[in-house]
Amino acid sequence: MNIPTDDILKNLTEDQLSAVTHLDGPMLVVAGAGSGKTRVVTRRIAYLISQRIWPSQILAMTFTNRAAREMQERIGRLVGEAPRNVGTFHSCCARFLRQYIEALDDGRTKDYIIFDTDDQKALLKQCLNDHPATTGLSPGFIAELISRAKSSCLTPQEIMTQEAWDNAEAIHEVCQAYENRLRTQNAVDFDDLLLLVARLLRERPAIREIIHNHFRYLLVDEYQDTNHLQYELLKLLVNPANNNIHATGDPDQCIYSWRGADYSNIMNFEKDFPNAVIVRLEKNFRSSEHILNVASTLISNNLNRIDKTLVPAVPTENPQKVRLVTVGSDRDEGLWIARRIRTLYLNGNPYRTMAVFYRTNRQSRTLEEALVRASIPYQIIGGLRFYARLKVNPADRISLERVAAYRGGVGPKTLAAIEQCAREQGMAAFTLLCQHDFAQRWKKKGAKVLDFANWCRQLNDLPCAPVGHAVAAVHDFADFTHHAYDRDGTPEARLENLQEMLTNAVHYERDHEEAGLNEFLQEVALVADVDAHDPDRDTVVLMTLHCAKGLEFPYVFIAGVEEDFLPHANTIADPDQIEEERRLFFVGITRGREEVALLNARARANWDGDWSRQPSRFIRELPMEDIVRTDFNLNNPTLPRSTFRRW
Ligand code: ATP
Ligand code: MG
């Protein structure tokens, strides 16, 4: 079939066109925010397909599922068929592992499950409990060490030696216990997904050859945020016979160095892939000039960067200055945002055109309260999927613990006794609980245990496919809603998450007819916060600045532009980290198309009273000619409403 290239090649600048129509050999597109990098990646994939490259021969990796989904949809519109292998690093690797993990010979099978950060911490907590010499260490601390080691392709021991840690021996044992338990539970953590694929490619030449012959074209968006492991993985994935790697990125938007991202990867591209063609895109197609001036001026304060300015491709009609709003308190902040959202909505802008960003998750609570009070629909995301997981993988002890905690009736001691008994019989505790003669043998332990066992058995008997049906059944059965209310103070948000999981399952089922619950869960576990965002629903989106990368919204609010939030309190002593915070702020501002509002509060309520707050040091760096300043303070009767009404 001949695919016409008219649509694929329209509305592209000359530079974009040269990047889109590039065929063989390495290419790097390095350009500022909103200059069309992601558009280039999407169009290039469509172009390759129009040049009779099989979609299955293309592998394109991004950092969020949402970005991947959007790319797939756009490619689908252009060429009728979206390649399957457009996904996040993690989801592409999860798919490889499903096919090849057994070649590692470490006991894990293709039905492996993925532990998310909470699971990982729960497992580490167990490992720490078994190692008294590590008293006082938190699971989060060890999780961070393990992740840092994996994402820099080192062992935890190597890191501890490099940094001369004190209790390295005991921590090493905990790390080993963690790895062993992951293996025996047929589980991997997020970093393992990439690490194990890299290991397969390195150690199994036959698999490497299959992959090299299979994927002729490799594309990576947001290359500035690749960590060492991702970088190594990419080098292993590229077939050295043609070096067909196409990377796009912007060093000013590197915001994940705390997770090992290293933007020197982008600087070293030419060294790694000699003869690489470099394309620079100069124009910004997203934001109005005031927004661009504010962002450019801010980022020019970073010493460690290559200077470039953001120039609008076409001048905006009647551009809005960036709003800098100083509010009396965190409540005023929420109120101001809610009122502004309401005004914009009443002026005909759907809620989905608006986003509220903040630096830390805990800031979302007061913002949520304000939106709820104003009856503004919003999305903010978390996750609950233990029930379904347990069903697929009975060895998943973490899920069993969580389910027991949600459901009630069985305490940790009883659970430990059940586990002990299961271990003696060489089976998982959940499997033992599901056995028909369990009640017979455990009746002395009381009705609650029997009730729990009975409940486990029913869960186990629910169907596994089709996916939509299976998830709905698990959902109804587990009476999620009730327990979700119990545990967290934010019922609406939790309910939406659950609804989200059902919707996802139905979508998934439509696209993957053959798939069962297990495949679905492997994908769902990879859905980071931002990925659950459904742009089709008309709601405002709340997210952290880190999640905002790659997205764009006509109206952007950044809350808490204050010292200790932005820059974050933990970064203040380190100039490099301050530069990263500035990049993060830059990423937030450059998401906005028409209007950006920056808010800072003079005081915030805390559990022990009100704390006065200082505006962020970054505010002093902004060009005042592109900004309008406002005060909004409900505690001060001379200021509030009149100021607000002016808008
Ligand atoms: P970021 O650095 O934030 O990821 P980006 O460089 O990937 O940004 P895109 O998201 O691809 O930029 O493009 C930004 C906006 O500009 C999008 O809305 C896109 O559709 C639009 N755009 C890009 N190129 C053109 C063009 N040649 N003509 C018109 N609009 C364009
Ligand atoms: Mg992009």
PDB file of all heavy atoms in Angstrom, residues 11-13 16 31-40 74 221-222 250 253 281 284-286 549-552 590-591 593, ligand 1:
ATOM      1  N   ASN A  11       3.268  21.435   7.430  1.00  0.00           N
ATOM      2  CA  ASN A  11       3.511  22.230   8.632  1.00  0.00           C
ATOM      3  C   ASN A  11       4.800  21.848   9.355  1.00  0.00           C
ATOM      4  O   ASN A  11       4.805  21.569  10.551  1.00  0.00           O
ATOM      5  CB  ASN A  11       2.348  22.119   9.619  1.00  0.00           C
ATOM      6  CG  ASN A  11       1.099  22.778   9.081  1.00  0.00           C
ATOM      7  OD1 ASN A  11       1.193  23.646   8.223  1.00  0.00           O
ATOM      8  ND2 ASN A  11      -0.047  22.354   9.566  1.00  0.00           N
ATOM      9  N   LEU A  12       5.861  21.796   8.586  1.00  0.00           N
ATOM     10  CA  LEU A  12       7.178  21.562   9.190  1.00  0.00           C
ATOM     11  C   LEU A  12       8.121  22.645   8.670  1.00  0.00           C
ATOM     12  O   LEU A  12       8.044  23.020   7.496  1.00  0.00           O
ATOM     13  CB  LEU A  12       7.728  20.197   8.774  1.00  0.00           C
ATOM     14  CG  LEU A  12       7.011  18.954   9.303  1.00  0.00           C
ATOM     15  CD1 LEU A  12       7.596  17.704   8.655  1.00  0.00           C
ATOM     16  CD2 LEU A  12       7.116  18.856  10.816  1.00  0.00           C
ATOM     17  N   THR A  13       8.989  23.146   9.526  1.00  0.00           N
ATOM     18  CA  THR A  13       9.999  24.091   9.044  1.00  0.00           C
ATOM     19  C   THR A  13      11.044  23.290   8.272  1.00  0.00           C
ATOM     20  O   THR A  13      11.066  22.059   8.330  1.00  0.00           O
ATOM     21  CB  THR A  13      10.703  24.793  10.214  1.00  0.00           C
ATOM     22  OG1 THR A  13      11.379  23.791  10.970  1.00  0.00           O
ATOM     23  CG2 THR A  13       9.716  25.511  11.115  1.00  0.00           C
ATOM     24  N   GLN A  16      12.998  21.088  10.593  1.00  0.00           N
ATOM     25  CA  GLN A  16      12.192  19.947  11.051  1.00  0.00           C
ATOM     26  C   GLN A  16      12.080  18.917   9.921  1.00  0.00           C
ATOM     27  O   GLN A  16      12.201  17.714  10.152  1.00  0.00           O
ATOM     28  CB  GLN A  16      10.795  20.416  11.470  1.00  0.00           C
ATOM     29  CG  GLN A  16      10.776  21.222  12.759  1.00  0.00           C
ATOM     30  CD  GLN A  16       9.393  21.788  13.076  1.00  0.00           C
ATOM     31  OE1 GLN A  16       8.580  22.007  12.187  1.00  0.00           O
ATOM     32  NE2 GLN A  16       9.132  22.036  14.351  1.00  0.00           N
ATOM     33  N   ALA A  31      17.267  20.995  20.758  1.00  0.00           N
ATOM     34  CA  ALA A  31      16.528  22.238  20.588  1.00  0.00           C
ATOM     35  C   ALA A  31      15.740  22.576  21.830  1.00  0.00           C
ATOM     36  O   ALA A  31      15.503  21.718  22.685  1.00  0.00           O
ATOM     37  CB  ALA A  31      15.583  22.096  19.404  1.00  0.00           C
ATOM     38  N   GLY A  32      15.314  23.833  21.913  1.00  0.00           N
ATOM     39  CA  GLY A  32      14.647  24.342  23.110  1.00  0.00           C
ATOM     40  C   GLY A  32      13.223  23.829  23.273  1.00  0.00           C
ATOM     41  O   GLY A  32      12.682  23.139  22.408  1.00  0.00           O
ATOM     42  N   ALA A  33      12.625  24.220  24.405  1.00  0.00           N
ATOM     43  CA  ALA A  33      11.265  23.788  24.725  1.00  0.00           C
ATOM     44  C   ALA A  33      10.293  24.261  23.651  1.00  0.00           C
ATOM     45  O   ALA A  33      10.409  25.381  23.160  1.00  0.00           O
ATOM     46  CB  ALA A  33      10.859  24.383  26.070  1.00  0.00           C
ATOM     47  N   GLY A  34       9.365  23.405  23.287  1.00  0.00           N
ATOM     48  CA  GLY A  34       8.287  23.805  22.376  1.00  0.00           C
ATOM     49  C   GLY A  34       8.714  24.050  20.947  1.00  0.00           C
ATOM     50  O   GLY A  34       8.003  24.684  20.175  1.00  0.00           O
ATOM     51  N   SER A  35       9.896  23.532  20.555  1.00  0.00           N
ATOM     52  CA  SER A  35      10.392  23.801  19.204  1.00  0.00           C
ATOM     53  C   SER A  35       9.998  22.713  18.211  1.00  0.00           C
ATOM     54  O   SER A  35      10.388  22.763  17.061  1.00  0.00           O
ATOM     55  CB  SER A  35      11.911  23.961  19.241  1.00  0.00           C
ATOM     56  OG  SER A  35      12.474  22.774  19.744  1.00  0.00           O
ATOM     57  N   GLY A  36       9.253  21.720  18.674  1.00  0.00           N
ATOM     58  CA  GLY A  36       8.755  20.704  17.749  1.00  0.00           C
ATOM     59  C   GLY A  36       9.556  19.404  17.743  1.00  0.00           C
ATOM     60  O   GLY A  36       9.453  18.620  16.799  1.00  0.00           O
ATOM     61  N   LYS A  37      10.325  19.144  18.797  1.00  0.00           N
ATOM     62  CA  LYS A  37      11.110  17.904  18.848  1.00  0.00           C
ATOM     63  C   LYS A  37      10.200  16.681  18.804  1.00  0.00           C
ATOM     64  O   LYS A  37      10.428  15.747  18.051  1.00  0.00           O
ATOM     65  CB  LYS A  37      11.966  17.853  20.128  1.00  0.00           C
ATOM     66  CG  LYS A  37      13.018  18.934  20.196  1.00  0.00           C
ATOM     67  CD  LYS A  37      13.880  18.816  21.442  1.00  0.00           C
ATOM     68  CE  LYS A  37      13.125  19.047  22.742  1.00  0.00           C
ATOM     69  NZ  LYS A  37      12.510  20.382  22.872  1.00  0.00           N
ATOM     70  N   THR A  38       9.170  16.709  19.651  1.00  0.00           N
ATOM     71  CA  THR A  38       8.281  15.554  19.702  1.00  0.00           C
ATOM     72  C   THR A  38       7.513  15.421  18.386  1.00  0.00           C
ATOM     73  O   THR A  38       7.287  14.323  17.900  1.00  0.00           O
ATOM     74  CB  THR A  38       7.331  15.689  20.907  1.00  0.00           C
ATOM     75  OG1 THR A  38       8.147  15.858  22.075  1.00  0.00           O
ATOM     76  CG2 THR A  38       6.470  14.461  21.088  1.00  0.00           C
ATOM     77  N   ARG A  39       7.160  16.570  17.793  1.00  0.00           N
ATOM     78  CA  ARG A  39       6.508  16.508  16.486  1.00  0.00           C
ATOM     79  C   ARG A  39       7.430  15.821  15.471  1.00  0.00           C
ATOM     80  O   ARG A  39       6.987  14.993  14.674  1.00  0.00           O
ATOM     81  CB  ARG A  39       6.146  17.922  16.009  1.00  0.00           C
ATOM     82  CG  ARG A  39       5.604  17.938  14.601  1.00  0.00           C
ATOM     83  CD  ARG A  39       5.175  19.319  14.154  1.00  0.00           C
ATOM     84  NE  ARG A  39       3.866  19.667  14.680  1.00  0.00           N
ATOM     85  CZ  ARG A  39       3.010  20.493  14.072  1.00  0.00           C
ATOM     86  NH1 ARG A  39       3.314  21.031  12.919  1.00  0.00           N
ATOM     87  NH2 ARG A  39       1.859  20.780  14.616  1.00  0.00           N
ATOM     88  N   VAL A  40       8.723  16.146  15.518  1.00  0.00           N
ATOM     89  CA  VAL A  40       9.677  15.528  14.596  1.00  0.00           C
ATOM     90  C   VAL A  40       9.704  14.004  14.786  1.00  0.00           C
ATOM     91  O   VAL A  40       9.676  13.250  13.816  1.00  0.00           O
ATOM     92  CB  VAL A  40      11.098  16.130  14.787  1.00  0.00           C
ATOM     93  CG1 VAL A  40      12.165  15.246  14.176  1.00  0.00           C
ATOM     94  CG2 VAL A  40      11.158  17.533  14.203  1.00  0.00           C
ATOM     95  N   ARG A  74      -1.166   9.866  17.077  1.00  0.00           N
ATOM     96  CA  ARG A  74      -0.833  10.767  15.953  1.00  0.00           C
ATOM     97  C   ARG A  74      -0.324   9.977  14.763  1.00  0.00           C
ATOM     98  O   ARG A  74      -0.673  10.264  13.627  1.00  0.00           O
ATOM     99  CB  ARG A  74       0.215  11.774  16.389  1.00  0.00           C
ATOM    100  CG  ARG A  74      -0.382  12.737  17.358  1.00  0.00           C
ATOM    101  CD  ARG A  74       0.380  14.010  17.459  1.00  0.00           C
ATOM    102  NE  ARG A  74      -0.267  14.797  18.496  1.00  0.00           N
ATOM    103  CZ  ARG A  74       0.349  15.639  19.281  1.00  0.00           C
ATOM    104  NH1 ARG A  74       1.643  15.828  19.152  1.00  0.00           N
ATOM    105  NH2 ARG A  74      -0.312  16.306  20.191  1.00  0.00           N
ATOM    106  N   ASP A 221      12.961  10.150  22.555  1.00  0.00           N
ATOM    107  CA  ASP A 221      12.615  11.553  22.843  1.00  0.00           C
ATOM    108  C   ASP A 221      13.097  11.866  24.266  1.00  0.00           C
ATOM    109  O   ASP A 221      13.270  10.967  25.077  1.00  0.00           O
ATOM    110  CB  ASP A 221      11.085  11.735  22.727  1.00  0.00           C
ATOM    111  CG  ASP A 221      10.686  13.199  22.563  1.00  0.00           C
ATOM    112  OD1 ASP A 221      11.579  14.046  22.363  1.00  0.00           O
ATOM    113  OD2 ASP A 221       9.476  13.494  22.620  1.00  0.00           O
ATOM    114  N   GLU A 222      13.316  13.147  24.562  1.00  0.00           N
ATOM    115  CA  GLU A 222      13.765  13.574  25.898  1.00  0.00           C
ATOM    116  C   GLU A 222      15.093  12.900  26.274  1.00  0.00           C
ATOM    117  O   GLU A 222      15.264  12.424  27.402  1.00  0.00           O
ATOM    118  CB  GLU A 222      12.694  13.253  26.960  1.00  0.00           C
ATOM    119  CG  GLU A 222      11.297  13.713  26.604  1.00  0.00           C
ATOM    120  CD  GLU A 222      10.935  15.069  27.178  1.00  0.00           C
ATOM    121  OE1 GLU A 222      11.827  15.736  27.718  1.00  0.00           O
ATOM    122  OE2 GLU A 222       9.757  15.453  27.044  1.00  0.00           O
ATOM    123  N   ASP A 250      16.720  18.423  25.011  1.00  0.00           N
ATOM    124  CA  ASP A 250      17.032  19.802  25.372  1.00  0.00           C
ATOM    125  C   ASP A 250      17.738  19.792  26.720  1.00  0.00           C
ATOM    126  O   ASP A 250      17.108  19.501  27.741  1.00  0.00           O
ATOM    127  CB  ASP A 250      15.714  20.592  25.473  1.00  0.00           C
ATOM    128  CG  ASP A 250      15.937  22.015  25.999  1.00  0.00           C
ATOM    129  OD1 ASP A 250      17.107  22.438  26.098  1.00  0.00           O
ATOM    130  OD2 ASP A 250      14.933  22.688  26.308  1.00  0.00           O
ATOM    131  N   GLN A 253      16.218  21.106  29.930  1.00  0.00           N
ATOM    132  CA  GLN A 253      15.065  20.461  30.560  1.00  0.00           C
ATOM    133  C   GLN A 253      15.447  19.178  31.282  1.00  0.00           C
ATOM    134  O   GLN A 253      14.599  18.331  31.545  1.00  0.00           O
ATOM    135  CB  GLN A 253      13.994  20.169  29.517  1.00  0.00           C
ATOM    136  CG  GLN A 253      13.383  21.432  28.952  1.00  0.00           C
ATOM    137  CD  GLN A 253      12.240  21.119  27.996  1.00  0.00           C
ATOM    138  OE1 GLN A 253      11.217  20.591  28.388  1.00  0.00           O
ATOM    139  NE2 GLN A 253      12.435  21.427  26.732  1.00  0.00           N
ATOM    140  N   LEU A 281      16.750  23.197  16.174  1.00  0.00           N
ATOM    141  CA  LEU A 281      15.494  23.861  15.825  1.00  0.00           C
ATOM    142  C   LEU A 281      15.445  25.169  16.605  1.00  0.00           C
ATOM    143  O   LEU A 281      15.670  25.174  17.814  1.00  0.00           O
ATOM    144  CB  LEU A 281      14.296  22.972  16.190  1.00  0.00           C
ATOM    145  CG  LEU A 281      14.334  21.541  15.655  1.00  0.00           C
ATOM    146  CD1 LEU A 281      13.151  20.736  16.200  1.00  0.00           C
ATOM    147  CD2 LEU A 281      14.330  21.516  14.145  1.00  0.00           C
ATOM    148  N   ASN A 284      10.136  28.628  18.580  1.00  0.00           N
ATOM    149  CA  ASN A 284       9.187  28.033  19.515  1.00  0.00           C
ATOM    150  C   ASN A 284       7.762  28.185  18.971  1.00  0.00           C
ATOM    151  O   ASN A 284       7.347  29.269  18.586  1.00  0.00           O
ATOM    152  CB  ASN A 284       9.307  28.747  20.866  1.00  0.00           C
ATOM    153  CG  ASN A 284       8.298  28.240  21.866  1.00  0.00           C
ATOM    154  OD1 ASN A 284       7.097  28.429  21.718  1.00  0.00           O
ATOM    155  ND2 ASN A 284       8.780  27.577  22.898  1.00  0.00           N
ATOM    156  N   PHE A 285       7.041  27.085  18.944  1.00  0.00           N
ATOM    157  CA  PHE A 285       5.681  27.091  18.406  1.00  0.00           C
ATOM    158  C   PHE A 285       4.631  27.026  19.505  1.00  0.00           C
ATOM    159  O   PHE A 285       3.469  26.818  19.235  1.00  0.00           O
ATOM    160  CB  PHE A 285       5.476  25.901  17.455  1.00  0.00           C
ATOM    161  CG  PHE A 285       6.188  26.062  16.152  1.00  0.00           C
ATOM    162  CD1 PHE A 285       7.485  25.590  16.000  1.00  0.00           C
ATOM    163  CD2 PHE A 285       5.573  26.694  15.089  1.00  0.00           C
ATOM    164  CE1 PHE A 285       8.154  25.744  14.791  1.00  0.00           C
ATOM    165  CE2 PHE A 285       6.233  26.857  13.882  1.00  0.00           C
ATOM    166  CZ  PHE A 285       7.530  26.373  13.733  1.00  0.00           C
ATOM    167  N   ARG A 286       5.035  27.100  20.757  1.00  0.00           N
ATOM    168  CA  ARG A 286       4.082  26.849  21.828  1.00  0.00           C
ATOM    169  C   ARG A 286       3.625  28.124  22.544  1.00  0.00           C
ATOM    170  O   ARG A 286       2.442  28.405  22.615  1.00  0.00           O
ATOM    171  CB  ARG A 286       4.688  25.882  22.850  1.00  0.00           C
ATOM    172  CG  ARG A 286       3.743  25.567  23.997  1.00  0.00           C
ATOM    173  CD  ARG A 286       4.367  24.614  24.992  1.00  0.00           C
ATOM    174  NE  ARG A 286       4.617  23.304  24.402  1.00  0.00           N
ATOM    175  CZ  ARG A 286       5.664  22.558  24.685  1.00  0.00           C
ATOM    176  NH1 ARG A 286       6.569  22.979  25.540  1.00  0.00           N
ATOM    177  NH2 ARG A 286       5.826  21.380  24.115  1.00  0.00           N
ATOM    178  N   LYS A 549       6.667  17.458  32.358  1.00  0.00           N
ATOM    179  CA  LYS A 549       7.583  17.433  31.224  1.00  0.00           C
ATOM    180  C   LYS A 549       6.923  16.939  29.929  1.00  0.00           C
ATOM    181  O   LYS A 549       6.177  15.964  29.932  1.00  0.00           O
ATOM    182  CB  LYS A 549       8.710  16.496  31.644  1.00  0.00           C
ATOM    183  CG  LYS A 549       9.637  16.083  30.605  1.00  0.00           C
ATOM    184  CD  LYS A 549      10.808  15.479  31.272  1.00  0.00           C
ATOM    185  CE  LYS A 549      10.915  14.010  30.975  1.00  0.00           C
ATOM    186  NZ  LYS A 549      12.300  13.617  30.829  1.00  0.00           N
ATOM    187  N   GLY A 550       7.189  17.633  28.838  1.00  0.00           N
ATOM    188  CA  GLY A 550       6.683  17.192  27.530  1.00  0.00           C
ATOM    189  C   GLY A 550       5.246  17.598  27.254  1.00  0.00           C
ATOM    190  O   GLY A 550       4.802  17.557  26.125  1.00  0.00           O
ATOM    191  N   LEU A 551       4.499  18.008  28.302  1.00  0.00           N
ATOM    192  CA  LEU A 551       3.087  18.344  28.103  1.00  0.00           C
ATOM    193  C   LEU A 551       2.939  19.827  27.751  1.00  0.00           C
ATOM    194  O   LEU A 551       3.871  20.603  27.903  1.00  0.00           O
ATOM    195  CB  LEU A 551       2.294  18.055  29.383  1.00  0.00           C
ATOM    196  CG  LEU A 551       2.415  16.654  29.968  1.00  0.00           C
ATOM    197  CD1 LEU A 551       1.575  16.537  31.228  1.00  0.00           C
ATOM    198  CD2 LEU A 551       1.992  15.610  28.954  1.00  0.00           C
ATOM    199  N   GLU A 552       1.756  20.209  27.297  1.00  0.00           N
ATOM    200  CA  GLU A 552       1.480  21.638  27.130  1.00  0.00           C
ATOM    201  C   GLU A 552       0.024  21.927  27.447  1.00  0.00           C
ATOM    202  O   GLU A 552      -0.844  21.073  27.240  1.00  0.00           O
ATOM    203  CB  GLU A 552       1.856  22.125  25.721  1.00  0.00           C
ATOM    204  CG  GLU A 552       1.086  21.489  24.597  1.00  0.00           C
ATOM    205  CD  GLU A 552       1.561  21.961  23.207  1.00  0.00           C
ATOM    206  OE1 GLU A 552       2.742  22.306  23.043  1.00  0.00           O
ATOM    207  OE2 GLU A 552       0.728  21.971  22.291  1.00  0.00           O
ATOM    208  N   THR A 590       7.500  26.770  30.646  1.00  0.00           N
ATOM    209  CA  THR A 590       7.425  26.552  29.192  1.00  0.00           C
ATOM    210  C   THR A 590       6.322  25.573  28.786  1.00  0.00           C
ATOM    211  O   THR A 590       6.192  25.259  27.619  1.00  0.00           O
ATOM    212  CB  THR A 590       8.782  26.057  28.621  1.00  0.00           C
ATOM    213  OG1 THR A 590       9.197  24.906  29.362  1.00  0.00           O
ATOM    214  CG2 THR A 590       9.833  27.133  28.696  1.00  0.00           C
ATOM    215  N   ARG A 591       5.544  25.052  29.750  1.00  0.00           N
ATOM    216  CA  ARG A 591       4.370  24.236  29.392  1.00  0.00           C
ATOM    217  C   ARG A 591       3.230  25.119  28.931  1.00  0.00           C
ATOM    218  O   ARG A 591       2.286  24.668  28.301  1.00  0.00           O
ATOM    219  CB  ARG A 591       3.859  23.404  30.590  1.00  0.00           C
ATOM    220  CG  ARG A 591       4.808  22.410  31.227  1.00  0.00           C
ATOM    221  CD  ARG A 591       5.433  21.480  30.251  1.00  0.00           C
ATOM    222  NE  ARG A 591       6.710  22.021  29.791  1.00  0.00           N
ATOM    223  CZ  ARG A 591       7.318  21.620  28.680  1.00  0.00           C
ATOM    224  NH1 ARG A 591       6.783  20.704  27.918  1.00  0.00           N
ATOM    225  NH2 ARG A 591       8.476  22.134  28.316  1.00  0.00           N
ATOM    226  N   ARG A 593       0.874  27.858  27.108  1.00  0.00           N
ATOM    227  CA  ARG A 593       0.733  28.423  25.757  1.00  0.00           C
ATOM    228  C   ARG A 593       0.334  29.890  25.836  1.00  0.00           C
ATOM    229  O   ARG A 593       0.934  30.732  25.199  1.00  0.00           O
ATOM    230  CB  ARG A 593      -0.335  27.677  24.961  1.00  0.00           C
ATOM    231  CG  ARG A 593       0.004  26.248  24.657  1.00  0.00           C
ATOM    232  CD  ARG A 593      -1.111  25.598  23.840  1.00  0.00           C
ATOM    233  NE  ARG A 593      -1.103  26.115  22.497  1.00  0.00           N
ATOM    234  CZ  ARG A 593      -0.618  25.443  21.445  1.00  0.00           C
ATOM    235  NH1 ARG A 593      -0.150  24.227  21.607  1.00  0.00           N
ATOM    236  NH2 ARG A 593      -0.616  25.972  20.252  1.00  0.00           N
TER     237      ARG A 593
HETATM  238  P1  ATP B   1       9.268  20.109  24.758  1.00  0.00           P
HETATM  239  O1  ATP B   1      10.701  20.526  24.773  1.00  0.00           O
HETATM  240  O2  ATP B   1       8.473  20.869  25.752  1.00  0.00           O
HETATM  241  O3  ATP B   1       9.092  18.630  24.823  1.00  0.00           O
HETATM  242  P2  ATP B   1       8.986  19.953  21.895  1.00  0.00           P
HETATM  243  O4  ATP B   1      10.239  20.529  21.336  1.00  0.00           O
HETATM  244  O5  ATP B   1       8.877  18.488  21.915  1.00  0.00           O
HETATM  245  O6  ATP B   1       8.697  20.586  23.330  1.00  0.00           O
HETATM  246  P3  ATP B   1       6.471  19.863  20.527  1.00  0.00           P
HETATM  247  O7  ATP B   1       5.676  19.442  21.678  1.00  0.00           O
HETATM  248  O8  ATP B   1       6.798  18.887  19.462  1.00  0.00           O
HETATM  249  O9  ATP B   1       7.804  20.586  21.042  1.00  0.00           O
HETATM  250  O10 ATP B   1       5.804  21.121  19.822  1.00  0.00           O
HETATM  251  C1  ATP B   1       5.313  22.220  20.575  1.00  0.00           C
HETATM  252  C2  ATP B   1       4.034  22.750  19.957  1.00  0.00           C
HETATM  253  O11 ATP B   1       4.312  23.372  18.716  1.00  0.00           O
HETATM  254  C3  ATP B   1       3.036  21.651  19.656  1.00  0.00           C
HETATM  255  O12 ATP B   1       1.752  22.145  19.909  1.00  0.00           O
HETATM  256  C4  ATP B   1       3.241  21.403  18.179  1.00  0.00           C
HETATM  257  O13 ATP B   1       2.080  20.868  17.578  1.00  0.00           O
HETATM  258  C5  ATP B   1       3.566  22.782  17.655  1.00  0.00           C
HETATM  259  N1  ATP B   1       4.443  22.781  16.457  1.00  0.00           N
HETATM  260  C6  ATP B   1       5.643  22.231  16.315  1.00  0.00           C
HETATM  261  N2  ATP B   1       6.170  22.453  15.089  1.00  0.00           N
HETATM  262  C7  ATP B   1       5.271  23.189  14.415  1.00  0.00           C
HETATM  263  C8  ATP B   1       5.218  23.751  13.084  1.00  0.00           C
HETATM  264  N3  ATP B   1       6.206  23.593  12.201  1.00  0.00           N
HETATM  265  N4  ATP B   1       4.105  24.458  12.749  1.00  0.00           N
HETATM  266  C9  ATP B   1       3.102  24.628  13.640  1.00  0.00           C
HETATM  267  N5  ATP B   1       3.083  24.136  14.885  1.00  0.00           N
HETATM  268  C10 ATP B   1       4.150  23.422  15.282  1.00  0.00           C
END
